[in-house]
Amino acid sequence: MTLTLLSVSTMTSMMSRMMKNKYKEMMLVSSMLMMMPTLYEWQEVDTYFRTDGMADMLMLLTVYLVPLSMMSNWNNMKDMLYYELMLNLGMMLMMNFMCQDMTSFYMYFEASLAPLFMMMGLYGAANRDKAADYMLMYTLFSSLFMLLAMALYEVMLDNTDYEATSMMFLSMELQSMLFMAMFMGMAVKTPLSPVHTWLPVVHSESPLAGSMLLAGVMLKLAMYAMMRLMMPTLTLATLLYTPMMYMLCMMTMMYTSMMTLRQTDLKVMVAYSSMSHMAVCMLGMFSNSMTGLTGSLVLSMAHGFVSPGLFMMVGGMLYDRYHNRLLHYYQGLMTYMPYLSVYFMMLSFCNVGTPLSMNFMGELLSMTGTMDRAPLLGMLASFSVLLSACYQMKLTNRLTGGMKTPYLHLTSDVTYRETFLLLSLMMPTMYLGFFPNWSMDFLWSLTNLMYTMY
Amino acid sequence: MLLTSNLMFLVYSTLSNSMLMNRLGTMTMMFTFMTYMNSMSMVSLTPGMTMFNNWFKLTTYNLPLTYLMFGMMMMLLLYNTTNVKYNLKSNFYMLLMMSNMMGLMLLPLVNDLLTLYMMMELQSYSLYLLTGLHNKSYNASRASLLYFMMGGMASVMILMGSYYMYNMTGTTNLTDMSLLNDMMNTNNNNNYMNLSMKDYFDMMVMALLFKMGLAPLHRWSMSVYNYAPTYMTAYMSMVAKMSMGCWLYVNSNLFNNYMFMMFFYVSLLMGSYKPLYQMNMKTMLAYSGMLNFGYVLLTMMTYDMSFYVYMMQYVLTHMMLFMGMLSASEYMEKPMTKWSPLLYMHQLRLPNLTLSFMLMLALFSLMGMPPLPGFYAKLYVLTGAMQDNYMLETCLMMVCSVLATYYYSNMMKMLMTSKNDNKMLEVNNINSTNAYMLSMCLMLLLTFFMYLPYLLEGLYIMMM
């Protein structure tokens, strides 16, 4: 599989070099082709490619987002290398969800840092050096602990396969140790509160497609790793550390929501808001109930649609037109960019978790799961809905409402490309909000993750 | 064979030009390597074989590394067979190189304290001379002198250690000593003598590590590497360490781990922390070499095959970096000196994007990005260390490797800026031979994960 994808990427790079004027189109097509292996396998053997619904869902999200993020940078990037990096990044993320082994997971997890680092260092905004360093340092340092855990697995079990390790029953001490080591990697990637500082910087400085993929897919890697690497194998430790995780999630949620209210940079606001949503996902993940787990994954997916959409809007459409990201400059977009405003409002409402959006389903289920597990903390956690409504409404109000400011000149409304992009993100959100069954039917294998006594 | 060719070269060097000499020398080396490959057939001799009245011992433990060393030297020396912009050629280069190589190749095989001293001096003296080969350069002579002084000091320590050892045991042979050691271990009542034998070995280990330039005794080596011409730095910063490291590894059953442990800790800390405020590429690479050798010390303590894996990655990445630096010298319009044109980090803006990409990949590998060799090497070192319960050491390793990532990433960001630099695209390209060597290294680096399983199988069989 790796070789197939690698050859796709190499061929694309080479062919694009031959036809210089068509490279964007070629990259785009090949990013869509990336989906092929998965789909093909489904038809062929009528099985989920040795994965299950949880992975498939995230894989679909990835292959959906990569072409979209390429298209989002269609006009403002004229560099082949950029698209190559995007393609490779998407490919690595894809393989991350495919692999069935902890060490390979770690490998793709780390390897995806390399293109991101290069992308950020080359095409980032003004503060890109800092952002690239933050990203690299934080993730590398934390994930080295994961590597340590994997080395320990190698020493103890001589195996890091998901299936094989989940068959073993490890002692409590060992589980706790492994859990802590893995958790360090995951906490940074999610990100949870004390170690979240890299994310706003990285999001705000990275080029648009980079931040779209970061928010859309890379944050979900943490969720996925939680499900694959930690919950099946380290069951007891997961239960034992649930209170700690809940406290951390609560802290993250409260803190980031409040921080969002204080921000002035549009992209940083979206970044902070995605942090608080990921914390809700994490709460659902640790609820040890079917509702919570389902909610967590549904919210992951929903967030994977909405957050890139918001990024596209503030980092792409508005930024391309006005070349700044400061909240204070924008006002009264409704008066002369009605379409954009409407899209923005819709996405905002989705992000808050208004009923009939997919986010609503996700948040509702995660919260329910959390309440089951820890009523008091669950109650506190539900404040996050209020808080997210606060910051999102502030953002939307400031942008769309009011009069046009003198800092802005009139520009055209959304173009066809942008409409297409936004609609393609909004449609699944709404559709799955109306009919969430489809996405939940994916998740039939979630019961494996629960720890129940019979 | 090397000896013969050395004599031949002595005659030749008087009457031919340097380029011819270098090319001839490299060819000689290749032939020697082919001959040496034949010694692979002795793998089936399980304990290895001794040569020259038990002075040398060729075992499966030191064989892989000598191959590796040989291959690396050939690749590095090929640089000198090409015409480059800042040409540094000398008639005596190959001559010295040959004698140095004799010392280097024989050192890991040493099985006697006397030959240890002799081989050590053979390779050190030729290295001193090689460093000072370009005596027009003030810095090179300075480096040479400094190297000589420090190396001499370490040699004296080795000599003293061997004297004490001979005084106590009445033999200079290492096999005898290890037998004696075993005997001492079995009868416990005579503990005093055993302890002091290990102490004297500690002295020698310290001297060797001093010679390798590992922290805390590293300051001299940093300045030597910095002052010497770049192509010399590439050579001597790698090979001397490697051969001594291999000897230590092969005979590590004779030593205490304390000394290794101390050097491990300090080298790691120094190697990761010191380059953070360095601008000088050569010094940074020297420190990074020291850091990597810190990891290697850990593998010496654990004594498993992660040593070889780590050595391979070390050789591959550092060779790539140095060769890339040498090739990048072609693009230096304002060289720092003729001897080392590329000296500072800000000079890394290269018009050749492929070259900068290669350097970046090598740096990624040093960072430990999968699927490059650096990652696998680190994984094996970690696993080996965990196996022997070196918990704190592994944690320190991680912290230090992250610290090191910071300066690697600084270099990378400098390399990346060359993308935005469109001027001076129309300059001479690097020599095609060098380009070929570099691309070969790149292929080895990128496909490491494919041939690693086979290598591991082979190593496993050899180490059985």
Side-chain angles (χ1 to χ4, degrees):
Chain A
M1 183 53 57
T2 311
L3 280 180
T4 321
L5 285 176
L6 269 181
S7 59
V8 169
S9 125
T10 335
M11 285 301 282
T12 318
S13 299
M14 271 157 54
M15 297 216 311
S16 320
R17 292 241 140 65
M18 268 186 255
M19 288 178 267
K20 291 257 183 199
N21 48 351
K22 280 268 180 275
Y23 65 92
K24 278 182 194 169
E25 285 81 357
M26 298 198 40
M27 294 285 176
L28 185 64
V29 169
S30 78
S31 75
M32 289 173 187
L33 278 179
M34 244 165 42
M35 196 169 0
M36 290 285 281
T38 4
L39 295 177
Y40 177 73
E41 220 84 9
W42 288 359
Q43 264 190 341
E44 178 93 323
V45 257
D46 202 14
T47 176
Y48 281 128
F49 181 62
R50 245 204 107 195
T51 67
D52 45 16
M54 314 180 256
D56 280 333
M57 203 157 124
L58 293 169
M59 275 187 314
L60 284 180
L61 184 66
T62 314
V63 287
Y64 194 67
L65 278 182
V66 174
L68 287 184
S69 51
M70 272 191 192
M71 270 188 268
S72 74
N73 269 114
W74 199 258
N75 288 337
N76 54 8
M77 279 292 170
K78 295 195 174 37
D79 205 342
M80 200 187 312
L81 182 64
Y82 181 75
Y83 293 94
E84 273 176 324
L85 288 175
M86 276 304 298
L87 183 66
N88 285 310
L89 180 60
M91 206 174 70
M92 277 167 203
L93 290 172
M94 176 87 172
M95 287 192 278
N96 226 328
F97 293 122
M98 281 185 186
C99 61
Q100 288 293 315
D101 182 277
M102 290 189 201
T103 315
S104 0
F105 178 85
Y106 178 83
M107 278 175 60
Y108 294 122
F109 184 78
E110 284 288 289
S112 64
L113 289 183
L116 201 63
F117 177 79
M118 281 164 78
M119 195 151 65
M120 207 135 0
L122 279 175
Y123 306 102
N127 219 352
R128 57 172 170 241
D129 278 357
K130 185 183 167 195
D133 273 347
Y134 261 47
M135 200 257 323
L136 197 68
M137 292 290 130
Y138 266 89
T139 323
L140 201 67
F141 184 51
S142 61
S143 57
L144 272 176
F145 285 97
M146 271 169 76
L147 183 65
L148 199 61
M150 269 153 227
L152 196 56
Y153 269 119
E154 282 283 350
V155 171
M156 293 286 172
L157 308 177
D158 269 335
N159 202 339
T160 53
D161 192 272
Y162 294 150
E163 301 268 338
T165 47
S166 67
M167 301 292 172
M168 302 282 182
F169 191 80
L170 306 175
S171 77
M172 192 65 207
E173 289 80 18
L174 188 58
Q175 278 197 24
S176 304
M177 225 158 77
L178 288 170
F179 184 90
M180 287 315 284
M182 292 268 187
F183 168 70
M184 284 204 204
M186 291 306 111
V188 169
K189 203 69 184 181
T190 312
L192 291 178
S193 186
V195 281
H196 67 282
T197 37
W198 65 279
L199 191 91
V201 185
V202 171
H203 267 303
S204 62
E205 304 302 329
S206 84
L208 176 57
S211 47
M212 276 173 71
L213 273 193
L214 247 177
V217 186
M218 286 188 93
L219 298 191
K220 275 75 191 173
L221 271 182
M223 292 293 132
Y224 184 72
M226 213 55 117
M227 287 183 332
R228 282 275 184 237
L229 273 63
M230 296 166 74
M231 297 183 93
T233 324
L234 311 171
T235 32
L236 281 178
T238 313
L239 279 192
L240 184 70
Y241 283 99
T242 303
M244 184 189 85
M245 295 300 293
Y246 268 32
M247 277 320 290
L248 278 178
C249 290
M250 280 297 302
M251 271 163 58
T252 314
M253 209 150 54
M254 292 292 167
Y255 177 69
T256 50
S257 303
M258 287 182 199
M259 282 303 283
T260 320
L261 284 167
R262 291 276 299 149
Q263 295 305 317
T264 51
D265 190 316
L266 289 172
K267 267 180 124 178
V268 175
M269 284 182 90
V270 182
Y272 266 115
S273 86
S274 65
M275 254 188 273
S276 82
H277 286 115
M278 290 322 283
V280 178
C281 283
M282 205 51 110
L283 280 178
M285 186 63 76
F286 274 84
S287 68
N288 195 28
S289 67
M290 193 65 188
T291 9
L293 285 168
T294 315
S296 160
L297 275 171
V298 172
L299 184 55
S300 289
M301 186 138 189
H303 182 259
F305 289 130
V306 173
S307 172
L310 284 171
F311 268 118
M312 214 187 300
M313 212 149 269
V314 298
M317 296 166 198
L318 290 178
Y319 186 80
D320 283 351
R321 286 174 173 75
Y322 299 113
H323 299 290
N324 74 59
R325 302 188 310 251
L326 278 186
L327 179 65
H328 302 304
Y329 283 98
Y330 293 101
Q331 203 175 324
L333 292 182
M334 185 67 106
T335 48
Y336 62 99
M337 288 171 111
Y339 285 116
L340 186 99
S341 311
V342 168
Y343 288 134
F344 189 71
M345 270 193 250
M346 282 173 78
L347 276 179
S348 295
F349 275 110
C350 290
N351 199 23
V352 173
T354 318
L356 295 187
S357 68
M358 199 180 173
N359 297 57
F360 169 72
M361 287 316 298
E363 279 196 31
L364 180 72
L365 290 175
S366 313
M367 288 295 172
T368 317
T370 316
M371 297 254 198
D372 284 348
R373 185 86 169 84
L376 196 64
L377 278 176
M379 198 184 73
L380 280 172
S382 52
F383 273 105
S384 80
V385 181
L386 176 71
L387 280 170
S388 68
C390 287
Y391 62 71
Q392 199 68 46
M393 285 312 112
K394 179 196 166 198
L395 179 64
T396 321
N397 262 337
R398 286 299 291 270
L399 249 63
T400 53
M403 299 275 288
K404 185 181 102 55
T405 57
Y407 305 110
L408 301 181
H409 48 273
L410 294 179
T411 52
S412 59
D413 209 340
V414 279
T415 58
Y416 285 124
R417 177 180 64 94
E418 289 160 349
T419 317
F420 171 73
L421 285 174
L422 286 176
L423 280 180
S424 57
L425 283 175
M426 209 146 7
M427 299 281 268
T429 320
M430 302 305 286
Y431 179 77
L432 292 176
F434 285 134
F435 306 107
N437 292 2
W438 183 78
S439 65
M440 286 179 198
D441 288 346
F442 259 96
L443 305 173
W444 42 268
S445 57
L446 273 182
T447 36
N448 295 345
L449 298 182
M450 291 196 307
Y451 187 84
T452 40
M453 298 277 209
Y454 291 109
Chain B
M1 178 101 184
L2 270 177
L3 191 65
T4 330
S5 53
N6 200 20
L7 287 176
M8 246 155 51
F9 266 67
L10 203 58
V11 183
Y12 264 122
S13 61
T14 48
L15 45 98
S16 51
N17 69 337
S18 56
M19 185 56 114
L20 189 67
M21 289 289 298
N22 284 348
R23 288 188 179 165
L24 268 176
T26 317
M27 274 166 71
T28 320
M29 256 180 250
M30 283 172 190
F31 281 123
T32 321
F33 189 45
M34 279 182 226
T35 326
Y36 188 50
M37 274 303 226
N38 281 332
S39 54
M40 199 56 144
S41 54
M42 55 72 62
V43 169
S44 50
L45 290 175
T46 317
M49 66 176 190
T50 59
M51 295 180 294
F52 300 115
N53 194 17
N54 214 351
W55 270 7
F56 298 103
K57 190 174 61 180
L58 187 66
T59 61
T60 44
Y61 287 89
N62 47 31
L63 199 59
L65 210 82
T66 38
Y67 282 148
L68 185 66
M69 238 156 58
F70 220 129
M72 186 194 71
M73 280 185 229
M74 281 188 328
M75 284 185 105
L76 275 178
L77 292 184
L78 271 180
Y79 174 75
N80 292 84
T81 61
T82 55
N83 281 314
V84 285
K85 189 171 170 190
Y86 300 102
N87 214 343
L88 301 172
K89 292 284 187 292
S90 164
N91 280 341
F92 311 107
Y93 176 70
M94 255 310 145
L95 193 64
L96 288 170
M97 204 54 107
M98 290 277 174
S99 47
N100 187 23
M101 276 181 68
M102 269 194 290
L104 285 170
M105 304 307 298
L106 288 177
L107 185 61
L109 314 182
V110 158
N111 195 29
D112 194 292
L113 289 178
L114 273 178
T115 37
L116 172 70
Y117 185 74
M118 269 154 38
M119 287 308 129
M120 187 65 75
E121 289 310 294
L122 181 58
Q123 62 107 356
S124 305
Y125 272 92
S126 42
L127 267 187
Y128 307 147
L129 289 175
L130 275 172
T131 316
L133 190 59
H134 299 286
N135 50 14
K136 292 252 171 54
S137 154
Y138 172 65
N139 271 343
S141 354
R142 190 152 73 151
S144 170
L145 197 61
L146 186 61
Y147 200 5
F148 176 58
M149 304 261 280
M150 293 299 151
M153 196 124 108
S155 302
V156 168
M157 270 172 79
I158 292 177
L159 206 55
M160 199 155 82
S162 358
Y163 158 70
Y164 279 125
M165 227 109 66
Y166 181 62
N167 190 20
M168 193 165 66
T169 58
T171 176
T172 52
N173 193 294
L174 290 177
T175 318
D176 292 352
M177 273 184 207
S178 70
L179 283 177
L180 200 64
N181 203 4
D182 286 348
M183 208 175 69
M184 300 271 179
N185 281 339
T186 45
N187 83 23
N188 278 325
N189 47 13
N190 198 356
N191 231 347
Y192 165 74
M193 205 166 162
N194 185 21
L195 268 182
S196 46
M197 187 165 112
K198 288 243 172 180
D199 286 346
Y200 294 132
F201 264 120
D202 275 354
M203 197 162 154
M204 286 183 65
V205 171
M206 197 163 88
L208 279 173
L209 293 175
F210 185 18
K211 263 205 165 167
M212 284 161 77
L214 291 178
L217 305 170
H218 65 289
R219 296 295 291 266
W220 67 272
S221 66
M222 293 305 139
S223 30
V224 168
Y225 297 154
N226 193 13
Y227 293 144
T230 308
Y231 78 103
M232 278 318 306
T233 314
Y235 182 76
M236 71 187 185
S237 69
M238 288 161 75
V239 287
K241 270 186 201 165
M242 275 177 72
S243 67
M244 282 183 251
C246 185
W247 186 79
L248 285 174
Y249 174 74
V250 170
N251 294 301
S252 65
N253 56 335
L254 288 172
F255 317 129
N256 280 326
N257 275 348
Y258 308 127
M259 201 52 81
F260 286 133
M261 199 63 97
M262 187 179 94
F263 275 83
F264 166 75
Y265 278 121
V266 185
S267 306
L268 237 62
L269 287 172
M270 286 291 156
S272 56
Y273 163 71
K274 273 292 184 60
L276 290 180
Y277 49 86
Q278 281 289 346
M279 297 302 287
N280 188 327
M281 271 296 285
K282 276 163 77 183
T283 318
M284 280 163 97
L285 284 186
Y287 272 112
S288 125
M290 194 173 88
L291 178 71
N292 279 293
F293 248 85
Y295 300 154
V296 170
L297 283 186
L298 189 61
T299 63
M300 282 179 200
M301 288 186 263
T302 56
Y303 200 62
D304 52 11
M305 56 189 184
S306 55
F307 176 77
Y308 299 108
V309 183
Y310 207 91
M311 274 300 190
M312 273 185 265
Q313 91 90 10
Y314 170 75
V315 166
L316 204 54
T317 44
H318 277 249
M319 188 160 65
M320 236 172 111
L321 279 174
F322 273 116
M323 276 170 50
M325 252 176 88
L326 285 171
S327 317
S329 311
E330 296 284 307
Y331 300 113
M332 293 299 122
E333 283 181 339
K334 290 192 281 290
M336 286 299 147
T337 56
K338 189 181 134 197
W339 294 281
S340 34
L342 196 161
L343 191 58
Y344 292 106
M345 213 167 66
H346 67 84
Q347 289 172 303
L348 279 176
R349 269 166 170 271
L350 307 174
N352 189 338
L353 289 183
T354 322
L355 182 61
S356 55
F357 181 67
M358 273 178 190
L359 287 175
M360 273 175 75
L361 271 180
L363 286 170
F364 267 132
S365 165
L366 277 177
M367 266 184 196
M369 280 285 168
L372 301 175
F375 165 72
Y376 288 102
K378 218 171 266 181
L379 182 65
Y380 282 107
V381 174
L382 276 180
T383 317
M386 295 278 245
Q387 199 105 45
D388 290 3
N389 220 354
Y390 286 115
M391 243 0 192
L392 183 64
E393 283 75 13
T394 47
C395 288
L396 186 77
M397 234 183 96
M398 281 180 330
V399 173
C400 287
S401 69
V402 172
L403 270 178
T405 306
Y406 189 71
Y407 65 83
Y408 293 139
S409 79
N410 268 341
M411 280 192 235
M412 270 198 303
K413 272 186 283 187
M414 212 54 232
L415 283 168
M416 273 194 276
T417 49
S418 43
K419 179 86 175 63
N420 304 329
D421 215 23
N422 287 324
K423 67 174 169 50
M424 66 176 193
L425 268 176
E426 306 303 320
V427 283
N428 56 336
N429 276 321
I430 54 176
N431 187 295
S432 56
T433 315
N434 285 345
Y436 177 68
M437 296 313 291
L438 266 173
S439 52
M440 213 153 87
C441 281
L442 185 71
M443 279 323 286
L444 282 176
L445 192 84
L446 282 177
T447 55
F448 188 78
F449 66 96
M450 293 186 196
Y451 59 78
L452 181 68
Y454 305 107
L455 280 178
L456 285 179
E457 272 172 31
L459 283 175
Y460 186 71
I461 292 167
M462 284 180 119
M463 289 196 59
M464 281 288 271

